[in-house]
């Protein structure tokens, strides 16, 4: 399973977003992803908001440990949040 944490074509979430329905979506099988129940084989998972469509994720634990190690690199908003959490 591969999880997309950031994509330039995805919506960049902000603190002001009021997303009510967000879940994981398997782009390989073109359906919601629920614990490998969307089909066999590999999964390409992205966060999906009913209002915005695919969106980049807020920082995850590995991002906090290795913020420079992501390709594509974390967005400016993601880096600000990573650094703020790290410095807290």
């Amino acid at each position: 399973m591969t999880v997309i944490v950031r994509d330039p074509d995805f919506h960049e979430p902000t603190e002001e977003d009021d997303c009510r329905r967000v879940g994981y979506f398997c782009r390989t099988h073109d359906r919601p992803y629920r614990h490998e129940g969307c089909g066999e084989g590999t999964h390409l998972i992205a966060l999906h908001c009913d209002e915005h469509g695919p969106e980049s994720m807020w920082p995850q634990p590995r991002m906090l440990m290795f913020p420079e190690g992501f390709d594509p690199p974390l967005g400016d908003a993601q880096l600000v949040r990573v650094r703020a959490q790290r410095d807290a």
Side-chain angles (χ1 to χ4, degrees):
M1 171 179 73
T2 301
V3 177
I4 303 170
V5 292
R6 182 171 187 276
D7 186 290
D9 295 329
F10 287 5
H11 172 73
E12 283 289 336
T14 65
E15 293 287 341
E16 291 79 33
D17 285 346
D18 190 23
C19 302
R20 299 205 188 278
R21 291 182 37 104
V22 177
Y24 292 106
F25 190 84
C26 182
R27 296 172 70 92
T28 303
H29 298 105
D30 196 32
R31 63 182 128 199
Y33 179 82
R34 291 184 183 91
H35 305 288
E36 299 181 19
C38 74
E40 293 190 17
T42 61
H43 302 279
L44 183 60
I45 310 301
L47 196 59
H48 187 87
C49 168
D50 282 354
E51 181 180 343
H52 302 110
E55 65 179 47
S56 295
M57 294 184 186
W58 283 110
Q60 305 293 308
R62 288 188 181 127
M63 291 181 195
L64 297 172
M65 293 169 52
F66 309 105
E68 292 82 19
F70 284 85
D71 182 26
L74 299 180
D76 291 339
Q78 288 175 313
L79 278 173
V80 167
R81 188 169 176 127
V82 166
R83 290 181 179 134
Q85 288 180 357
R86 182 187 60 204
D87 295 341

